[in-house]
Amino acid sequence: MTNAVDEQSVRGSASASSVRLPLRPELADEEPYGAPQLDVPVLLNVNENPYPPGEDVVATIAEEVARAARGMNRYPDRDATVLRRDLADYLEMETGVHLAQFDVWAANGSNEVMLHVLQAFGGPGRTALSFAPTYSMYPEYARDTHTEWVVGRREDDFTLDPAHAVELIRQVRPSVILLASPNNPTGTALPAATIEAVCEAALTVDLDGARPVVVVDEAYAEFRRPGTPSAVALLERYPNLAVSRTMSKAFAAAGMRLGYLVGSTKFVDALRIVRLPYHLSAVTQAAAGAALRHRESLMAQVAALRAERDATVAWLREQRLPDGLPFDVADTDANFVLFGTFGDRHAVWQGLLDRGVLIRETGPDGWLRVSIGTSSEMAAFRAALTEVLQEQGEEQA
């Protein structure tokens, strides 16, 4: 006999279900972020580009990824210098603003970019401020970095009142201000004057000699209507301002996971401190650079989606609820449309799903959001919604 402990008896001393893990208390009742993933014919619930990249784009990506694969025994360029130069060139073409490569940062989707922002400028004892309704991941970035989360309000038409924003900035004294333009889930773009008012107010807040940072999230900027400016034009005036973008939407590259931010070199260098080593793989860098070489053809798809979006807005505004009232349809500069308001939005959502069309049950109570798909997908959406409304009207008769 020995005094050795029987390993099997130790393993069996407690069932897996009875072992409590030391989860952070604020995460105890949380659910992972994500939209429903269901196998239906028409998927219009997540804001993807419905058109896959063309064969010429695929061929260029494959060639560049193969080249990168031959050196995969080495770590990638940890600061993605070539890709950041290419992104600066693209942004100059898209906005008309000259940018240096070291004023651009890149990461695994704009989600990681935003997490870097909160890691660098948020934290215990600090506050992040935004204005609801807005992107539902923002409070999660704050939660994950132990940053207090405060939200102001948007107006009934989802615009942002500059006076309200300025007053709240002065009251809350945040270290980070997040503005989505176009906003998700509403599609609302912010006028330059509103962004300027926020940036000016931030400069009046003294945080032990520092000033709050303002980040304008332009994930859907390429879909904005003519005449809607980008906040990139304001960067030279406001050193505490940065603009975040993504290749997921306009570049039909949601599966690539490439987001980026442009700001001052000092702002970008702060993000380099908190990023994980080699956070952006050589494959991702190669694929993103290849896609950027096809920006003209990919932007042509964006123009088609804008036209489809505008047609969808016009059609929705012609529809009537079962009680005869017209739809509420938010003005949108994104690749989706928020519409309502329904007494039972879930019933409408379910009715569409029963007909093979999946949209998003999100936003304020009573509203639904449809992402813009191909012309055939949008035709299926219109037909399904017409049937659902007719069925509900008959039930109420």
Side-chain angles (χ1 to χ4, degrees):
M1 295 288 295
T2 69
N3 292 327
V5 177
D6 185 333
E7 182 179 352
Q8 186 62 41
S9 68
V10 171
R11 287 179 178 175
S13 62
S15 66
S17 61
S18 68
V19 175
R20 182 181 175 189
L21 303 178
L23 186 66
R24 284 164 42 192
E26 66 270 26
L27 302 179
D29 298 319
E30 295 289 339
E31 294 289 339
Y33 171 85
Q37 292 180 305
L38 304 175
D39 185 15
V40 298
V42 181
L43 296 171
L44 302 173
N45 68 319
V46 289
N47 300 326
E48 300 164 326
N49 190 316
Y51 297 103
E55 288 304 315
D56 56 338
V57 183
V58 172
T60 304
I61 290 174
E63 180 182 348
E64 293 302 319
V65 168
R67 182 176 289 111
R70 295 185 181 97
M72 284 204 322
N73 57 309
R74 304 296 184 186
Y75 284 114
D77 176 2
R78 61 175 172 262
D79 289 321
T81 51
V82 173
L83 175 59
R84 289 160 67 191
R85 179 201 64 201
D86 293 344
L87 288 166
D89 289 345
Y90 163 70
L91 274 177
E92 182 171 351
M93 180 278 294
E94 209 275 333
T95 67
V97 178
H98 176 69
L99 300 162
Q101 72 182 91
F102 297 114
D103 295 339
V104 179
W105 184 236
N108 286 284
S110 56
N111 301 105
E112 188 180 38
V113 170
M114 287 294 186
L115 185 61
H116 287 166
V117 169
L118 269 293
Q119 287 175 315
F121 302 111
R126 296 187 171 194
T127 301
L129 171 67
S130 193
F131 301 88
T134 194
Y135 186 34
S136 58
M137 276 297 297
Y138 291 162
E140 296 196 20
Y141 304 143
R143 178 201 66 195
D144 293 347
T145 56
H146 299 279
T147 306
E148 183 181 357
W149 175 246
V150 175
V151 286
R153 56 168 174 78
R154 287 176 175 259
E155 301 301 295
D156 291 342
D157 62 355
F158 306 126
T159 58
L160 178 58
D161 178 8
H164 168 66
V166 168
E167 179 183 2
L168 202 57
I169 290 167
R170 289 172 177 166
Q171 288 177 1
V172 173
R173 300 173 54 79
S175 61
V176 179
I177 302 166
L178 300 177
L179 302 175
S181 179
N183 187 41
N184 183 6
T186 67
T188 316
L190 294 174
T194 300
I195 299 172
E196 290 171 356
V198 168
C199 290
E200 292 288 348
L203 290 175
T204 68
V205 176
D206 186 351
L207 303 173
D208 295 327
R211 298 294 182 266
V213 298
V214 180
V215 180
V216 179
D217 183 351
E218 290 190 345
Y220 306 94
E222 286 89 349
F223 297 96
R224 66 192 188 278
R225 289 170 288 180
T228 303
S230 167
V232 171
L234 301 175
L235 289 172
E236 188 174 3
R237 289 172 52 190
Y238 298 106
N240 59 328
L241 172 66
V243 179
S244 173
R245 287 203 176 188
T246 180
M247 293 184 69
S248 294
K249 325 298 183 184
F251 280 86
M256 185 190 299
R257 305 305 300 135
L258 195 289
Y260 57 102
L261 174 145
V262 58
S264 68
T265 303
K266 181 182 291 187
F267 196 116
V268 170
D269 284 347
L271 306 188
R272 292 174 61 225
I273 294 171
V274 299
R275 62 103 167 94
L276 293 173
Y278 310 107
H279 71 292
L280 203 55
S281 77
V283 169
T284 299
Q285 293 181 45
L292 285 166
R293 286 159 55 183
H294 291 270
R295 60 196 184 196
E296 288 82 5
S297 62
L298 292 169
M299 291 305 105
Q301 293 179 336
V302 170
L305 288 168
R306 276 197 298 255
E308 191 72 55
R309 173 202 65 200
D310 293 342
T312 300
V313 169
W315 181 83
L316 286 168
R317 286 177 172 163
E318 294 173 352
Q319 307 312 301
R320 292 294 180 269
L321 297 165
D323 59 8
L325 293 175
F327 281 17
D328 291 320
V329 184
D331 290 333
T332 177
D333 282 87
N335 65 335
F336 53 82
V337 183
L338 190 73
F339 66 100
T341 53
F342 301 99
D344 185 352
R345 71 173 177 180
H346 183 72
V348 177
W349 178 87
Q350 185 64 56
L352 291 170
L353 181 60
D354 292 342
R355 291 163 174 82
V357 178
L358 178 62
I359 66 172
R360 189 75 180 270
E361 192 173 4
T362 189
D365 289 344
W367 294 79
L368 294 167
R369 191 192 72 194
V370 59
S371 299
I372 302 303
T374 64
S375 57
S376 61
E377 288 172 335
M378 298 315 293
F381 162 72
R382 292 191 296 270
L385 183 58
T386 299
E387 287 185 11
V388 171
L389 295 174
Q390 287 176 345
E391 182 178 278
Q392 289 189 346
E394 292 169 357
E395 291 175 354
Q396 293 180 16

